[in-house]
Amino acid sequence: MSASNIKEVVREKYGQAALRVSTGGSSCCGAGPALDGGCDPITSNLYDALQTTELPQEAVKASLGCGNPTALANLNPGETVLDLGSGGGIDVLLSARRVGPTGKAYGLDMTDEMLALARENQRKSGVQNVEFLKGEIEQIPLPDNSVDVIISNCVINLSADKDKVLREAFRVLKPGGRLAVSDVVVRGDVPPQVRRSMELWVGCIAGALKDSDYTAKLTGAGFDAIDIEPTRVYTIADARQFLAGEGVDADAIASEVEGKFISAFIRAVKPLEKGCCGPACCS
């Protein structure tokens, strides 16, 4: 799997997901509709009704994540937030409400169909302090030291160059800025047939890092105060569901993956510059 091949498959599948939502369908984690018309165990039940009642249903249906970074991230009025891989815009719109009219929420996505859907969702929601940008998370189109908080929802694991993503995130964060992302993380070894499956990569599973590798890559990018907090641990039953229909013998390997795939909230901080006494003095 070359990096360019992975990127094109992700672009195509997420473009199709956006079109399905735009025409009244649903989508789960970038793959086809889930079994029984519901969502898979990774993407289901992430947002409570209080968060979604004021958002367009298309934004809710287009949520392809594995967590709810807006519920766990510490967002303050007036801050600038960037969502990497913003999809239909749900996390951007929720973040924009939390940072208020003096703050700003950016959404970054490489898929034209998702950007169109997100901008339509913004129009329907009436939220003004939002801007959706076209680009890749490996090359963020924002200047150095320009963002207070970076969020992301089950997208970093889709990149074939996670080191570059994390270096870019570090670059655009202000000193003292926070990374607060939801992602799928692996504990232990994963069967080779899972790693080889392009469909599972697009489905937010096969591209997942080991927890120790995630920590090492964050450290290598310059972050400190790193913490990985499990939010869901997937069972054999979950494994059968997300492996079904993907060309993998679910019964043969389900026992090998039980408890190894988790959704986690990953926090890290860009250190303050030397001689700086707080985030404001370095902004």
Side-chain angles (χ1 to χ4, degrees), residues 135-158:
E136 299 176 356
I137 61 175
E138 297 87 359
Q139 295 178 302
I140 300 173
L142 287 173
D144 297 356
N145 306 318
S146 58
V147 175
D148 295 294
V149 182
I150 287 179
I151 64 172
S152 185
N153 200 345
C154 205
V155 171
I156 293 175
N157 60 63
L158 296 175

Side-chain angles (χ1 to χ4, degrees), residues 39-83:
C39 213
D40 62 67
I42 289 180
T43 61
S44 61
N45 303 318
L46 302 179
Y47 300 89
D48 62 43
L50 290 176
Q51 289 183 298
T52 59
T53 49
E54 297 183 359
L55 295 178
Q57 281 302 298
E58 290 81 1
V60 179
K61 290 180 180 179
S63 173
L64 312 178
C66 59
N68 183 352
T70 62
L72 297 170
N74 180 27
L75 302 179
N76 303 308
E79 290 188 316
T80 299
V81 182
L82 168 63
D83 182 12

Side-chain angles (χ1 to χ4, degrees), residues 1-281:
M1 291 187 292
S2 70
S4 60
N5 287 342
I6 292 167
K7 188 167 294 182
E8 286 311 308
V9 171
V10 170
R11 194 193 311 273
E12 178 184 357
K13 293 295 184 179
Y14 276 76
Q16 292 172 357
L19 292 175
R20 283 198 299 272
V21 170
S22 298
T23 55
S26 64
S27 174
C28 295
C29 211
L35 298 176
D36 303 322
C39 213
D40 62 67
I42 289 180
T43 61
S44 61
N45 303 318
L46 302 179
Y47 300 89
D48 62 43
L50 290 176
Q51 289 183 298
T52 59
T53 49
E54 297 183 359
L55 295 178
Q57 281 302 298
E58 290 81 1
V60 179
K61 290 180 180 179
S63 173
L64 312 178
C66 59
N68 183 352
T70 62
L72 297 170
N74 180 27
L75 302 179
N76 303 308
E79 290 188 316
T80 299
V81 182
L82 168 63
D83 182 12
L84 299 180
S86 49
I90 185 171
D91 293 322
V92 179
L93 298 175
L94 290 172
S95 296
R97 294 185 187 279
R98 290 182 61 189
V99 300
T102 60
K104 181 74 175 278
Y106 288 102
L108 175 65
D109 206 280
M110 68 176 182
T111 308
D112 289 328
E113 295 87 350
M114 278 295 184
L115 287 167
L117 177 61
R119 288 167 180 150
E120 177 62 13
N121 287 333
Q122 179 191 359
R123 184 191 67 78
K124 290 178 179 178
S125 70
V127 179
Q128 299 298 315
N129 57 329
V130 164
E131 183 176 351
F132 290 101
L133 307 171
K134 183 175 182 179
E136 299 176 356
I137 61 175
E138 297 87 359
Q139 295 178 302
I140 300 173
L142 287 173
D144 297 356
N145 306 318
S146 58
V147 175
D148 295 294
V149 182
I150 287 179
I151 64 172
S152 185
N153 200 345
C154 205
V155 171
I156 293 175
N157 60 63
L158 296 175
S159 174
D161 193 344
K162 298 172 180 64
D163 291 303
K164 191 171 184 180
V165 173
L166 297 176
R167 288 195 301 268
E168 276 288 275
F170 187 88
R171 177 185 67 79
V172 302
L173 278 171
K174 298 176 184 178
R178 293 100 66 201
L179 180 82
V181 305
S182 292
D183 224 340
V184 175
V185 178
V186 178
R187 290 171 165 171
D189 295 323
V190 178
Q193 54 265 53
V194 175
R195 291 289 185 193
R196 287 196 297 264
S197 172
M198 286 292 290
E199 290 298 320
L200 289 179
W201 192 295
V202 176
C204 305
I205 300 167
L209 289 172
K210 287 186 179 181
D211 48 4
S212 57
D213 290 339
Y214 220 129
T215 298
K217 288 180 183 297
L218 284 165
T219 301
F223 288 99
D224 61 15
I226 298 164
D227 179 65
I228 298 179
E229 175 189 347
T231 54
R232 289 188 182 182
V233 179
Y234 302 111
T235 65
I236 287 179
D238 295 330
R240 285 197 180 95
Q241 187 171 346
F242 64 62
L243 291 169
E246 299 291 350
V248 177
D249 186 343
D251 289 331
I253 69 169
S255 61
E256 298 180 56
V257 300
E258 183 181 22
K260 291 185 178 179
F261 289 107
I262 65 171
S263 287
F265 190 59
I266 298 149
R267 298 178 178 90
V269 176
K270 180 175 180 175
L272 294 171
E273 293 177 348
K274 189 174 182 180
C276 182
C277 59
C281 69

